[in-house]
Amino acid sequence: MKAVVSHKYGPPEVLQLTEIDKPVPKDNQVLVKIHAASLNYGNLVLLKGEPFLARFAFGLTKPKYRIPGGDIAGRVEAVGRDVKQFQAGDEVFGDLSGCGWGGFAEYVAIPESALALKPANLSFEESAAVPMAGVTALQGLRDKGEIQSGQKVLINGASGGVGTFAVQIAKAFGAEVTGVCSTRNIDILRSIGADDAIDYTKDDFTKKTKNYDLIVGVNGHHSMSAYKKVLKSNGRFVHVGGSGSQMFQAMALGPWISLTEKKKMGTFLQRANQKDLIYLKELIEDGKVKPVIDQCFKLSDVKEAFEYFAEGHSQGKVVITM
């Protein structure tokens, strides 16, 4: 089968499209013929080995997981004898980040817990855009942010992969949602249901008088003190992504602010979770959430896909088709 393989850390040029053996599923595994995959920030970390601390999980001197790719959608080709949830022919989607990655290939053999049945109203390409970004948004809002109906919620970095899901999921929870993005993305936020959209090239939301019950920081460089100014008393800030200095502040200062003030500030890491995949599937099939796709690249053009994604300006998700 064809697969994208990386034997060392570096730029997209280290990725090689090559032929390798098709996997054989173990007793507890599902063999999936992959139709589409998508890119996430974790793919860049796995490619470059940066930040360095990530190498303790991904391999100190070279990638521990030679085939990148976390999000997939495809069709079950075979199942091991101990598999209970799926059968050959099922259309599925899933997150492989917790079980060895391997999504940028024509086939993968993985535990059934990494998969869920694909949303019936989405294509394979659309389904592949959902798992990591959608679950990150869901866990950030629901679990870390403890979102409640009627709250005023701000999503900073609302036009990217996680951000577009966060806007829609927050609306599904009954929140009043404001998104922060650049000028060219204002219409996208309106189209996915944002109640208000702030153009960061013209306005700085941290200098406005409006305060929020919950802020999810998906992108940007604002300090914790700037975010804190626009949080209501008992409000929460959840750091999902942004500059390196912002991440350090969220990890170092967030716990202190949370202890000493009536505001909770911190960061979190998404964890692959089958129940959350199923929850997202139901939201999608109910018409409350729909993935936003910027571009689709062929597997043979994966280097170009990484280069485009690394620029950080994609509107929604970047998808790889097999």
Side-chain angles (χ1 to χ4, degrees):
M1 69 171 187
K2 291 185 175 64
V4 172
V5 177
S6 175
H7 296 290
K8 61 182 179 180
Y9 293 121
E13 285 72 27
V14 303
L15 299 171
Q16 299 176 346
L17 181 62
T18 186
E19 290 280 344
I20 64 172
D21 292 336
K22 179 179 172 180
V24 176
K26 298 176 182 178
D27 289 346
N28 65 338
Q29 289 185 323
V30 177
L31 179 66
V32 179
K33 179 176 175 56
I34 300 172
H35 289 261
S38 72
L39 285 169
N40 296 281
Y41 176 72
N43 298 124
L44 291 180
V45 175
L46 186 56
L47 172 70
K48 299 179 179 180
E50 298 173 355
F52 187 82
L53 286 176
R55 295 193 182 199
F56 288 95
F58 291 156
L60 277 177
T61 59
K62 62 182 180 180
K64 178 181 177 181
Y65 308 108
R66 61 179 186 145
I67 303 175
D71 287 346
I72 66 160
R75 186 174 280 107
V76 174
E77 183 161 297
V79 299
R81 63 181 181 181
D82 295 334
V83 171
K84 306 298 184 184
Q85 300 180 53
F86 304 101
Q87 60 185 3
D90 285 345
E91 295 183 348
V92 295
F93 73 140
D95 177 359
L96 315 187
S97 63
C99 56
W101 300 75
F104 295 158
E106 292 181 313
Y107 293 89
V108 68
I110 47 175
E112 59 183 333
S113 60
L115 298 168
L117 292 174
K118 178 180 79 64
N121 56 338
L122 294 189
S123 66
F124 286 115
E125 290 79 10
E126 290 171 319
S127 298
V130 174
M132 292 182 73
V135 169
T136 298
L138 175 63
Q139 293 177 352
L141 288 164
R142 183 195 62 195
D143 303 340
K144 189 72 174 180
E146 298 185 3
I147 189 171
Q148 301 293 322
S149 178
Q151 286 186 329
K152 290 180 171 59
V153 176
L154 181 132
I155 312 296
N156 189 20
S159 60
V162 174
T164 50
F165 281 110
V167 169
Q168 296 176 82
I169 293 169
K171 287 297 297 179
F173 274 100
E176 178 186 312
V177 182
T178 298
V180 181
C181 63
S182 63
T183 307
R184 73 187 186 105
N185 296 319
I186 293 292
D187 289 343
I188 288 179
L189 295 198
R190 298 291 190 190
S191 73
I192 59 176
D195 298 289
D196 191 17
I198 298 174
D199 181 348
Y200 69 76
T201 68
K202 299 177 181 178
D203 293 304
D204 184 348
F205 71 89
T206 67
K207 296 180 179 178
K208 290 180 174 290
T209 56
K210 185 174 182 179
N211 289 346
Y212 300 92
D213 300 287
L214 171 60
I215 298 175
V216 177
V218 185
N219 205 350
H221 58 274
H222 298 89
S223 66
M224 291 299 102
S225 60
Y227 277 119
K228 187 175 69 170
K229 283 195 304 182
V230 290
L231 264 185
K232 291 182 179 180
S233 179
N234 296 314
R236 290 175 178 267
F237 167 75
V238 181
H239 175 271
V240 176
S243 66
S245 61
Q246 187 185 88
M247 179 180 290
F248 177 79
Q249 286 185 39
M251 294 175 66
L253 298 179
W256 173 251
I257 294 171
S258 300
L259 282 173
T260 58
E261 302 191 29
K262 292 184 177 180
K263 298 178 181 182
K264 301 294 184 182
M265 306 188 76
T267 187
F268 95 110
L269 291 175
Q270 172 261 3
R271 301 293 184 190
N273 185 296
Q274 187 186 55
K275 289 184 178 179
D276 287 344
L277 272 181
I278 295 170
Y279 186 89
L280 284 171
K281 172 182 180 289
E282 293 170 351
L283 286 180
I284 291 165
E285 291 180 339
D286 287 343
K288 296 178 180 179
V289 173
K290 183 176 178 65
V292 176
I293 295 179
D294 184 308
Q295 286 195 48
C296 291
F297 291 81
K298 294 180 180 179
L299 186 64
S300 57
D301 297 325
V302 70
K303 295 177 185 178
E304 290 79 1
F306 266 88
E307 289 168 355
Y308 178 74
F309 181 74
E311 292 175 0
H313 302 303
S314 59
Q315 298 171 307
K317 293 297 301 270
V318 175
V319 172
I320 307 294
T321 58
M322 301 305 152

